[in-house]
Amino acid sequence: SILLGGLQFSNKGRRLNLAPKTSLLAALLFAVHPVHTECVAGIVGRADLLCALFFLLSFLGYCKAFRENKEGHNFSIFWVLVSVSLGAIAMLCKEQGITVLGLNAVFDALVINKLNVLELIQKLLHKGKSLENAGLLRKGLLFRITLLMSGGASILYIRWRIMGTGPPAFTEVDNPASFADSLFVRAINYNYYYSLNAWLLLCPWWLCFDWSMGCIPLIKSVSDWRIIALAALWFCLIGLICQALCSEDSHRRRILTLGLGFLIIPFLPASNLFFRVGFVIAERVIYLPSIGYCVLFTYGFSLLSKQAKKKKILAVAVLGILLINVIRCALRSSQWRSEEQLFRSALSVCPLNAKVHYNVGKNLADKGNQSAAIKYYREAVRLNPKYVHAMNNLGNILKERNELQEAEELLSLAVQIQPDFAAAWMNLGIVQNSLRRFEEAEQSYWTAIKHRKKYPDCYYNLGRLYADLNRHIDALNAWRNATVLKPEHSLAWNNMIILLDNTGNLAQAEAVGREALELIPNDHSLMFSLANVLGKSQKYKESEALFLKAIKANPNAASYHGNLAVLYHRWGNLDLAKKHYEVSLKLDPVAPGTKENYSLLKRKLEQLQKKG
């Protein structure tokens, strides 16, 4: 209502809402705009929502500085400082929050001081005209703007001290235009991105969780038909700016200027004008600028309704737009309910985006559908031949499917493109180990550890390599490193127990098993391994208790029943041994060791019967 109706007060000092219907329509349009779905549905969108909250509170706080005196001659420094503080909180939520201070300055000049920008420029250019005559010193405007600028500079300095001076490191796939050598290519593509952002506000039908990695091919020449979008954008913007500056109607000048201010100023940090950003388009950064769009749209509708003869048709059209936005919001929200729906919805919007194909493939792989995942991973690599994460995941699946040659080629290429990619080095080591190229595998594992010092899974795989080479001490050391870095690493603990057991170090195996169970008390595989060690040490009662506990946790493990049967066999509890042999064979009829032991037990039982 302040943007559309102005800041005016009653005799009692209460703020008047001079545009109730228009304000309501603008608020409704903002509430149901589908481009907001990412901020609302995605948990990471909290940053944008909190930033918007404090951004608007800062603006309203600045308005409150003039609440007591509608003439604006007096103002509250306290509320100006409150506004600056709320702007600082908005910036701590998200960097674009600091732009509210610039917006407050524009509001102060145009609404409080009712400056005519075109007239001001003419006066400043005319010799002999002072700043006071131009209106800059009247009503304390210059003082308030100095307060806003000082506050903004202080906030930026504090942010610089906290965060440091180094900008985040972005890659070419994040924002290809910013890496273009030609200034022309950069400028033309930045402007094209602006036009796409404007189109998302006008027609938010094509929404995507990620617009990078080839989603929007670069414009490299003026013959590209997409230049039309740039021309359309600037035609509309220049038209609105001319109206905002040159219109004789002060009411129109104020609304258009503030609408454009809300549209453009919060978007400036994402514009690539001051620094490189890590995205091509991000729907979340349009959350605040959409306020300006809603104001401009609503004002345009109010102008049309004043001139239109058939106002009902216009009202129906606006209600139709609101209803379509509601439906689109509902559809988009349903897509955000699961990863699969969200990623698949992006395929139709950005079929050239390698990251979209990668995410669909990863989702399928997580669900166990490896064949379908391979197809999407291959497409991701085809679209972006340097996509090392897609190569790594594809190589992993091919490794599991025993297609080792292609897996090695992919992983070798991944580490060649990104030499510090620790996960790819580890996976390459696993493939080389499977190909029995042990020295190369060992080298790959150590390279992975060099690039990621705390890498328990790599130490675990290195231990397996050493175990295969009968380097038992090295294997134990590697597994011990894995458990130090990740105390709940069950596989590393298990392998240590089994290796010590197999090499006859029963006392040490028992000590390691007890240590492991203290850290992971509910791991049935550790119970099973320690039970085997205790059985060999003739600690039958303890061993039996652990076997039974392991079976209770995992009753369908044939080996658990089979080894418990062996324990009872040794212990002399032949009936219980027979029972668990039978359960084991029922779960796994082809288990050779169990069948032999069961045959021996049956012969022994027959002999005992004959003696009886």
Side-chain angles (χ1 to χ4, degrees):
S1 69
I2 292 169
L3 296 176
L4 291 161
L7 188 65
Q8 293 191 38
F9 299 90
S10 67
N11 293 330
K12 295 180 179 179
R14 293 185 63 183
R15 187 174 61 77
L16 299 172
N17 184 355
L18 300 178
K21 292 180 182 177
T22 322
S23 304
L24 176 62
L25 178 57
L28 285 172
L29 188 64
F30 179 82
V32 301
H33 204 295
V35 85
H36 299 166
T37 316
E38 179 176 342
C39 294
V40 176
I43 195 69
V44 76
R46 285 180 305 178
D48 301 272
L49 299 179
L50 285 168
C51 174
L53 171 66
F54 289 106
F55 185 100
L56 294 175
L57 286 173
S58 174
F59 175 73
L60 292 170
Y62 197 78
C63 294
K64 203 170 177 64
F66 309 97
R67 185 174 180 178
E68 298 303 323
N69 192 318
K70 64 179 179 179
E71 296 298 325
H73 294 300
N74 299 319
F75 62 92
S76 167
I77 294 176
F78 170 76
W79 279 107
V80 174
L81 294 175
V82 167
S83 174
V84 172
S85 302
L86 289 165
I89 298 170
M91 190 209 68
L92 291 172
C93 298
K94 197 164 186 181
E95 280 82 352
Q96 71 181 137
I98 198 171
T99 58
V100 71
L101 302 182
L103 200 65
N104 288 343
V106 171
F107 172 79
D108 196 341
L110 299 175
V111 177
I112 306 304
N113 281 268
K114 297 182 173 61
L115 288 183
N116 184 327
V117 179
L118 190 64
E119 187 183 321
L120 174 65
I121 293 168
Q122 289 171 349
K123 284 182 178 180
L124 288 173
L125 291 174
H126 196 277
K127 290 182 179 179
K129 294 287 182 183
S130 67
L131 288 175
E132 190 169 2
N133 289 337
L136 283 177
L137 296 180
R138 137 185 114 193
K139 303 178 187 176
L141 173 61
L142 197 61
F143 175 71
R144 291 192 295 274
I145 287 177
T146 303
L147 274 179
L148 291 172
M149 289 176 65
S150 304
S154 303
I155 294 164
L156 287 173
Y157 175 73
I158 293 166
R159 194 262 184 204
W160 174 73
R161 288 301 302 266
I162 294 170
M163 302 293 289
T165 54
F170 299 120
T171 61
E172 189 174 348
V173 293
D174 296 320
N175 187 356
S178 66
F179 286 85
D181 296 326
S182 166
L183 179 62
F184 168 77
V185 173
R186 287 203 300 274
I188 207 165
N189 280 282
Y190 289 159
N191 280 276
Y192 181 58
Y193 297 161
Y194 306 155
S195 67
L196 288 176
N197 278 287
W199 182 248
L200 287 178
L201 287 173
L202 285 166
C203 182
W205 199 256
W206 293 276
L207 300 175
C208 184
F209 73 95
D210 187 273
W211 293 83
S212 63
M213 284 208 181
C215 187
I216 304 168
L218 288 178
I219 298 174
K220 295 183 179 177
S221 71
V222 289
S223 60
D224 195 311
W225 67 269
R226 291 176 291 171
I227 293 285
I228 298 167
L230 279 72
L233 172 72
W234 282 107
F235 176 78
C236 294
L237 273 179
I238 290 167
L240 286 168
I241 290 166
C242 287
Q243 282 288 306
L245 294 178
C246 306
S247 176
E248 293 180 3
D249 184 350
S250 62
H251 181 67
R252 179 179 293 187
R253 284 202 309 269
R254 187 194 72 246
I255 292 175
L256 289 178
T257 311
L258 288 176
L260 287 168
F262 260 95
L263 182 68
I264 295 167
I265 293 172
F267 184 74
L268 288 174
S271 65
N272 286 288
L273 289 176
F274 306 109
F275 44 81
R276 177 185 290 156
V277 297
F279 51 83
V280 176
I281 293 175
E283 290 158 25
R284 60 188 178 275
V285 302
I286 318 176
Y287 190 83
L288 274 170
S290 66
I291 296 171
Y293 160 75
C294 293
V295 168
L296 293 172
F297 176 90
T298 311
Y299 183 61
F301 167 71
S302 69
L303 291 178
L304 278 176
S305 65
K306 285 175 185 175
Q307 296 174 5
K309 291 179 181 178
K310 296 182 179 179
K311 295 185 179 181
K312 286 185 179 179
I313 295 173
L314 205 59
V316 168
V318 171
L319 287 172
I321 290 170
L322 287 172
L323 182 62
I324 289 167
N325 279 355
V326 169
I327 293 167
R328 182 67 184 115
C329 263
L331 288 171
R332 187 62 179 155
S333 294
S334 68
Q335 289 169 350
W336 271 90
R337 285 184 180 276
S338 71
E339 284 187 336
E340 184 181 3
Q341 289 183 71
L342 181 65
F343 298 153
R344 287 193 179 278
S345 70
L347 285 173
S348 58
V349 180
C350 285
L352 300 176
N353 188 336
K355 192 184 283 187
V356 169
H357 291 274
Y358 167 82
N359 279 298
V360 173
K362 189 173 184 301
N363 186 257
L364 288 165
D366 291 343
K367 291 180 175 179
N369 191 348
Q370 291 188 338
S371 301
I374 287 171
K375 183 182 80 171
Y376 285 101
Y377 281 142
R378 287 194 193 282
E379 182 63 10
V381 174
R382 187 190 71 78
L383 290 167
N384 182 7
K386 293 184 178 179
Y387 200 171
V388 291
H389 292 284
M391 291 175 190
N392 178 54
N393 287 17
L394 178 56
N396 237 340
I397 291 177
L398 293 172
K399 173 194 75 182
E400 289 170 17
R401 293 162 72 96
N402 212 33
E403 297 176 33
L404 299 176
Q405 209 64 47
E406 189 183 356
E408 186 184 20
E409 288 171 13
L410 279 164
L411 292 165
S412 297
L413 182 58
V415 296
Q416 190 179 332
I417 294 166
Q418 188 179 325
D420 63 346
F421 192 3
W425 277 113
M426 183 188 75
N427 289 326
L428 179 60
I430 295 169
V431 171
Q432 289 166 337
N433 192 8
S434 301
L435 291 167
R436 305 191 67 77
R437 297 215 301 274
F438 300 121
E439 286 185 16
E440 290 177 47
E442 183 181 7
Q443 187 61 42
S444 294
Y445 287 141
W446 281 116
T447 307
I449 290 165
K450 182 181 81 174
H451 292 302
R452 191 191 296 178
K453 298 285 187 277
K454 296 178 179 179
Y455 204 173
D457 289 341
C458 196
Y459 276 112
Y460 165 72
N461 285 301
L462 181 63
R464 288 182 61 189
L465 168 69
Y466 288 145
D468 290 342
L469 296 172
N470 292 321
R471 292 166 59 179
H472 296 153
I473 294 172
D474 289 335
L476 289 169
N477 286 334
W479 288 328
R480 175 58 73 176
N481 282 333
T483 59
V484 167
L485 293 170
K486 186 181 177 183
E488 68 277 10
H489 203 303
S490 172
L491 290 171
W493 284 114
N494 244 320
N495 282 21
M496 274 197 282
I497 298 165
I498 292 165
L499 180 60
L500 289 166
D501 181 3
N502 292 341
T503 52
N505 296 308
L506 296 179
Q508 200 176 345
E510 183 183 337
V512 170
R514 292 187 189 280
E515 183 185 352
L517 272 177
E518 276 184 26
L519 293 165
I520 324 170
N522 298 317
D523 191 300
H524 55 80
S525 62
L526 290 175
M527 296 173 197
F528 172 71
S529 298
L530 180 57
N532 285 327
V533 172
L534 292 168
K536 289 180 184 178
S537 302
Q538 296 185 345
K539 296 178 180 179
Y540 297 131
K541 200 73 182 169
E542 245 187 302
S543 177
E544 179 195 24
L546 278 173
F547 272 130
L548 290 171
K549 203 173 175 184
I551 288 167
K552 187 179 179 182
N554 188 15
N556 296 321
S559 59
Y560 290 12
H561 290 279
N563 284 30
L564 177 58
V566 171
L567 177 76
Y568 284 136
H569 199 156
R570 286 179 186 163
W571 200 359
N573 294 334
L574 303 184
D575 291 333
L576 285 172
K578 182 174 181 290
K579 174 191 167 185
H580 283 280
Y581 276 136
E582 287 170 354
V583 173
S584 178
L585 287 168
K586 189 177 179 182
L587 291 167
D588 183 11
V590 295
T594 307
K595 285 178 82 172
E596 289 169 14
N597 288 333
Y598 185 47
S599 299
L600 287 170
L601 177 67
K602 282 204 293 186
R603 282 200 294 271
K604 191 171 184 180
L605 286 169
E606 285 168 6
Q607 288 170 5
L608 287 171
Q609 281 179 345
K610 285 176 184 177
K611 285 181 181 178

